[in-house]
Amino acid sequence: MDISRKTDYALRMMSALVHNPGTVLSVRTAAEENNIPYSFARSIQHDLAEAGIITSTRGAHGGMSLAVDPESVTLLDVVQAVQGPVCLTACDFCGAEETPCPRKAFCSFNPIWNGAQKLLETYLASFTLSEAALGTGADRVDALTEALSSFIPQSDGGDSDEAASA
């Protein structure tokens, strides 16, 4: 799964809204301040409004504002609003034009890919938009990755051939 440029831009726009709570932010201003092409920013605004994450206001003093509490919206919510379901492989149904892999029922790798899928979704869902935008969730990254590393078998520090010849 790639985090698309559109998702990166959406997160920049959402960060601007988190840093300016209670305001209506011009899409043009958000685009200019975050080096986002204006037409792309308009498309992102549409996707975020469709998902109910922002409210769009038309007119001379229009723009976008948060429609949700940034403490309750996760990074997973924003990613899915902009680029659709998080999908690591074609094992499962991930979109209107995709079908599950025909080997899914007997593939020994399917449970592994599904586990990775769940880990990624859980990880992205563990950070709120507010934490990400304000940088307050960064301290948990090390703890989360350390917890995951406890599942990785540790090597004995040496090559088995070297140990045998010593």
Side-chain angles (χ1 to χ4, degrees), residues 16-38:
L17 288 171
V18 170
H19 284 278
N20 298 289
T23 62
V24 175
L25 181 63
S26 157
V27 176
R28 185 170 303 282
T29 300
E32 289 171 358
E33 290 177 356
N34 291 288
N35 299 321
I36 302 169
Y38 177 69

Side-chain angles (χ1 to χ4, degrees), residues 116-136:
Q117 173 83 28
K118 288 175 187 171
L119 284 171
L120 178 59
E121 289 175 354
T122 301
Y123 183 78
L124 292 174
S126 74
F127 293 98
T128 68
L129 178 58
S130 181
E131 286 175 318
L134 301 175
T136 59

Side-chain angles (χ1 to χ4, degrees), residues 70-147:
E71 296 281 339
S72 66
V73 174
T74 68
L75 291 183
L76 181 63
D77 296 328
V78 177
V79 169
Q80 289 178 334
V82 176
Q83 67 181 63
V86 172
C87 213
L88 292 178
T89 70
C91 291
D92 291 308
F93 178 77
C94 288
E97 298 188 24
E98 295 182 36
T99 57
C101 175
R103 298 178 43 81
K104 177 182 173 182
F106 55 87
C107 177
S108 62
F109 293 102
N110 180 267
I112 296 168
W113 302 144
N114 284 334
Q117 173 83 28
K118 288 175 187 171
L119 284 171
L120 178 59
E121 289 175 354
T122 301
Y123 183 78
L124 292 174
S126 74
F127 293 98
T128 68
L129 178 58
S130 181
E131 286 175 318
L134 301 175
T136 59
D139 58 332
R140 288 189 299 119
V141 172
D142 289 337
L144 289 168
T145 54
E146 187 174 316

